[in-house]
Amino acid sequence: MEFSKEEVEHIASLARLSLSEEEKELFGSQLSSILRYMEKLNKLDTRGIEPTSHVLSLSNVMRDDIPGPSLPKEEALMNAPDHTDKFYRVPKIIE
Amino acid sequence: MLNFNNKSKVFIEFETENQQLNHDNSTEENRLKLYSLTISEVRDLLERKEVSVKDVVTSIYERIDAVEDRVTAFVTITKDEALKIADRVQEKITSENIKSTTSLLGIPLAIKDNMCTKGIRTTCSSKILSNFIPPYESTVTSRLIEQGYVLVGKTNLDEFAMGSSTENSGFHITKNPWDLESIPGGSSGGSAAAVAADECIAALGSDTGGSIRQPAALCGVVGLKPTYGRVSRYGLVAFASSLDQIGPITKNVQDSAILMNIISGHDPLDSTSAPLPVPDFTAVLGQDMKGIKIGIPKEYFIEGMDREVGISVRDSIKKLDSLGAIPVEVSLPRTGYAVATYYVLATSEASSNLARYDGVKYGFRAEGKDLMDTYLNTRAQGFGAEVKRRIMLGTYALSSGYYEAYYKKAQQVRTLIKRDFEEAFKAVDVIVTPTSPTAAFKVGEKTADPLQMYLSDIFTISVNLAGVPGISIPCGFTSHNLPIGLQIIGNHFDEESILKVAYAYEQSTDWHKRRPNL
């Protein structure tokens, strides 16, 4: 697997990362060598093997649907780079 | 002996002082070396009222003043707050005459800076969280607070716990107290170095692929990664949610068991925490080793492992044999696939978990001309190189057309790796391996080649993939006086067996008593 510059740019845009030209080049070659290493997984026959997403056999852990205390608005907003008294504020999306 | 046993030094000096001076005057000398003690030793002195909490806390900060500029283990030091807590706790001890054997009253601990501490900056050693003040407390630290602990400070890590050397911190590197030109391991390098340098009595770390055990090994201290689900992850900043676990980094095995008793157990705030009862982990310490079967996986004694590490680990197995354990060769045939599996799964989970850092709700924001531009700039400027690399790798593995080939394939191999352990634990009680293929390496030695850095986790990663518990304990030193770690792996929710074996080994050796000359 060799990453072209276009592929690096495609992945970066999916990940919402803007990369410098140097980063594109560096990551392209590093990711290629890491992925070549990962291709060793193809040597293993995994036909019919269930994938493991989680080691515990817990599923659908529910709590009772009773309202409890939650984070006060001021505290929820206190770490935001920009906010009003009720909302997070972001740059304009629609003209 | 290459190094003087610091702990016995404390008591030797006590006695000399006591002979020379009136008994009451020994308190001053007593206070000065308190930083070198363990949880149980400090607790005994506090219970006997020989020292005050303030003595202990002051001693820790004096030690930090003396060594921290060389070790740089901390991101944030919370001295003022700690001294206030010390006064409050002292009052509690004096007024209520508390003598609980499980409490941490007045014990100064350091916390890895990826666990949320309410009102105290929690950065993950990332620029993107450099100004983040959590409005809530993580479950583990809540439990420590209930027991009266004193927070010393928040320790350095590889940014978002991604790394094996703490060189990926967005702020500064941390040095290995045994050799200031070497790395302390990672990602909990700050916690391990702080414990080894006596800048705290003990610490908490987190372990996704070896991030507690490997730095513990490289710094000559004890690090335990519990079974997945044993300890709540609520308030632990997520890296790879199916692999992350919090655990103790301590000066000895007894302290590890003491902290496990406090931090373990079901938490309704973490839906992946296991609803199982928690045993008293200290109860197994000192139990007979006779008949315990220890598995030696042949795949872990490989080429590329440092010769001195191999010798120390083989000697440790002989020692366990002499203590009554029965060594049995076992096979974990899919070991060679663990690193590849891990770096597909961990980066995929990370790319998803780290999508939340968008410069809107918390953390750093770099303004852009529109919202998309703000996202792109915020993440470009806020994340360091390794974090970006892993987000890229994970995004690729999850992307359309590659999901089956990478992510699903790795999940299937994970099943096989888990089965390897299940099969091995049918025949043995614990598995013993080296923790890391080498002792601490030099600062800068592996930073240019990410894959070489990933391979330094080769012996710890399978344990996270299988979800089983593992502990690293000191088992020797190289000819350059660098610590070597022995890893003891247990079956799911059987931390008791690894603590029992670790304690028996530790008590028959004195590696854990050595301290670096700082």
Side-chain angles (χ1 to χ4, degrees):
Chain A
M1 178 71 213
E2 291 298 328
F3 269 100
S4 66
K5 193 178 163 197
E6 289 69 34
E7 279 171 305
V8 171
E9 285 170 349
H10 173 62
I11 302 296
S13 94
L14 289 176
R16 301 288 186 264
L17 286 169
S18 80
L19 299 181
S20 66
E21 289 305 311
E22 296 79 49
E23 280 178 319
K24 284 177 198 169
E25 200 166 306
L26 181 68
F27 288 169
S29 86
Q30 288 176 334
L31 293 177
S32 302
S33 85
I34 295 165
L35 281 172
R36 271 197 300 278
Y37 177 78
M38 286 171 170
E39 271 157 23
K40 74 191 292 188
L41 294 179
N42 295 326
K43 288 188 210 148
L44 278 179
D45 183 0
T46 52
R47 272 173 301 181
I49 304 289
E50 276 296 304
T52 295
S53 58
H54 219 270
V55 289
L56 300 179
S57 51
L58 297 167
S59 63
N60 296 341
V61 178
M62 304 289 193
R63 65 165 175 80
D64 293 333
D65 189 16
I66 301 166
S70 55
L71 206 57
K73 189 175 58 195
E74 298 73 31
E75 290 181 25
L77 290 167
M78 71 182 220
N79 279 288
D82 192 7
H83 62 89
T84 67
D85 60 344
K86 284 183 186 162
F87 301 104
Y88 300 115
R89 185 155 44 200
V90 296
K92 213 172 201 179
I93 304 170
I94 313 160
E95 285 304 324
Chain B
M1 276 287 172
L2 294 162
N3 238 281
F4 199 75
N5 170 350
N6 223 347
K7 252 188 286 169
S8 48
K9 195 174 166 188
V10 177
F11 292 110
I12 291 163
E13 286 184 5
F14 285 4
E15 279 169 27
T16 326
E17 286 295 319
N18 288 351
Q19 281 155 13
Q20 287 167 353
L21 303 162
N22 162 326
H23 187 82
D24 290 340
N25 290 347
S26 67
T27 312
E28 185 61 20
E29 186 66 20
N30 206 332
R31 189 171 69 79
L32 293 176
K33 290 285 169 62
L34 288 171
Y35 59 76
S36 68
L37 303 181
T38 62
I39 295 176
S40 59
E41 286 166 345
V42 173
R43 200 153 70 188
D44 286 350
L45 289 176
L46 287 172
E47 274 183 15
R48 293 204 304 269
K49 308 232 187 313
E50 288 181 28
V51 297
S52 71
V53 176
K54 199 167 188 174
D55 291 337
V56 179
V57 173
T58 306
S59 170
I60 288 290
Y61 286 108
E62 281 169 3
R63 177 67 173 172
I64 288 175
D65 286 344
V67 302
E68 174 62 6
D69 62 336
R70 281 170 287 156
V71 180
T72 55
F74 288 91
V75 172
T76 304
I77 293 174
T78 50
K79 185 176 176 181
D80 293 347
E81 186 62 19
L83 290 169
K84 276 183 224 153
I85 294 170
D87 286 339
R88 277 208 300 276
V89 167
Q90 185 63 48
E91 218 167 277
K92 206 169 174 184
I93 293 178
T94 315
S95 64
E96 295 172 28
N97 207 4
I98 286 169
K99 267 196 186 160
S100 162
T101 50
T102 56
S103 95
L104 284 178
L105 273 179
I107 309 286
L109 304 180
I111 304 293
K112 187 178 182 178
D113 205 24
N114 62 350
M115 293 170 224
C116 287
T117 41
K118 187 174 180 177
I120 295 163
R121 197 169 75 119
T122 298
T123 68
C124 273
S125 289
S126 178
K127 290 202 175 77
I128 215 159
L129 282 177
S130 56
N131 59 1
F132 178 64
I133 311 282
Y136 65 100
E137 191 77 34
S138 71
T139 293
V140 282
T141 49
S142 296
R143 290 183 181 183
L144 299 180
I145 290 169
E146 279 165 29
Q147 299 295 327
Y149 97 118
V150 179
L151 173 66
V152 175
K154 305 293 292 290
T155 57
N156 198 19
L157 59 146
D158 288 293
E159 184 178 4
F160 284 102
M162 297 180 186
S164 311
S165 68
T166 315
E167 290 167 294
N168 295 332
S169 167
F171 305 134
H172 56 79
I173 63 170
T174 292
K175 314 285 181 52
N176 190 314
W178 291 91
D179 170 19
L180 296 171
E181 289 172 8
S182 290
I183 56 93
S187 65
S188 309
S191 284
V195 174
D198 287 322
E199 294 182 88
C200 56
I201 301 298
L204 291 186
S206 69
D207 189 317
T208 305
S211 283
I212 288 174
R213 291 158 289 153
Q214 184 255 19
L218 271 42
C219 289
V221 294
V222 175
L224 190 154
K225 184 206 84 80
T227 308
Y228 184 85
R230 178 63 99 183
V231 176
S232 170
R233 294 183 297 108
Y234 179 74
L236 172 69
V237 178
F239 158 19
S241 307
S242 82
L243 302 158
D244 299 339
Q245 257 309 270
I246 293 167
I249 298 178
T250 55
K251 294 175 189 172
N252 67 16
V253 175
Q254 185 186 14
D255 280 3
S256 188
I258 289 170
L259 286 180
M260 280 298 292
N261 276 357
I262 293 164
I263 63 173
S264 300
H266 180 245
D267 176 16
L269 297 173
D270 173 5
S271 62
T272 63
S273 89
L276 291 173
V278 178
D280 175 4
F281 293 111
T282 61
V284 296
L285 307 181
Q287 280 183 3
D288 194 6
M289 286 277 288
K290 197 149 276 166
I292 293 260
K293 289 193 185 126
I294 54 168
I296 318 298
K298 55 180 186 229
E299 294 85 0
Y300 280 62
F301 292 83
I302 50 161
E303 264 180 70
M305 179 161 67
D306 180 84
R307 194 182 59 85
E308 291 178 311
V309 170
I311 291 169
S312 283
V313 171
R314 286 195 179 87
D315 285 349
S316 308
I317 293 164
K318 280 182 209 145
K319 171 65 83 177
L320 290 169
D321 189 356
S322 76
L323 294 171
I326 306 162
V328 180
E329 189 180 282
V330 293
S331 176
L332 297 168
R334 264 67 65 119
T335 298
Y337 298 95
V339 172
T341 304
Y342 174 86
Y343 279 94
V344 174
L345 297 179
T347 59
S348 296
E349 294 188 25
S351 75
S352 169
N353 271 327
L354 270 60
R356 73 190 67 181
Y357 301 100
D358 56 5
V360 173
K361 300 179 291 300
Y362 39 72
F364 166 81
R365 173 191 288 185
E367 298 293 342
K369 63 182 188 315
D370 54 23
L371 187 59
M372 177 59 91
D373 215 33
T374 301
Y375 290 154
L376 291 169
N377 294 346
T378 295
R379 292 164 66 79
Q381 293 173 37
F383 291 136
E386 180 62 21
V387 173
K388 288 181 193 169
R389 198 153 39 229
R390 294 201 195 190
I391 289 175
M392 293 281 288
L393 199 53
T395 303
Y396 176 76
L398 292 175
S399 67
S400 171
Y402 299 101
Y403 173 87
E404 297 259 333
Y406 290 99
Y407 187 67
K408 191 179 168 206
K409 181 79 184 180
Q411 284 189 314
Q412 289 174 310
V413 179
R414 184 177 187 180
T415 304
L416 296 175
I417 289 168
K418 191 169 167 241
R419 283 185 195 164
D420 283 353
F421 279 93
E422 284 162 2
E423 208 48 48
F425 282 119
K426 285 178 187 165
V428 297
D429 299 296
V430 298
I431 292 171
V432 172
T433 77
T435 306
S436 170
T438 65
F441 43 91
K442 294 287 180 192
V443 171
E445 193 178 318
K446 296 190 183 183
T447 41
D449 187 347
L451 188 55
Q452 277 311 305
M453 188 73 93
Y454 296 173
L455 289 169
S456 61
D457 299 332
I458 193 160
F459 297 146
T460 47
I461 264 176
S462 303
V463 168
N464 300 75
L465 291 169
V468 293
I471 191 170
S472 178
I473 56 171
C475 76
F477 284 80
T478 68
S479 49
H480 295 99
N481 199 32
L482 291 171
I484 298 171
L486 180 73
Q487 178 174 235
I488 305 165
I489 304 166
N491 207 344
H492 283 109
F493 297 102
D494 188 16
E495 287 85 0
E496 287 169 290
S497 289
I498 60 175
L499 284 164
K500 179 162 90 177
V501 174
Y503 186 78
Y505 176 83
E506 178 191 79
Q507 293 303 305
S508 68
T509 61
D510 60 5
W511 309 117
H512 66 290
K513 292 179 183 165
R514 293 200 196 177
R515 287 288 184 278
N517 287 318
L518 271 169

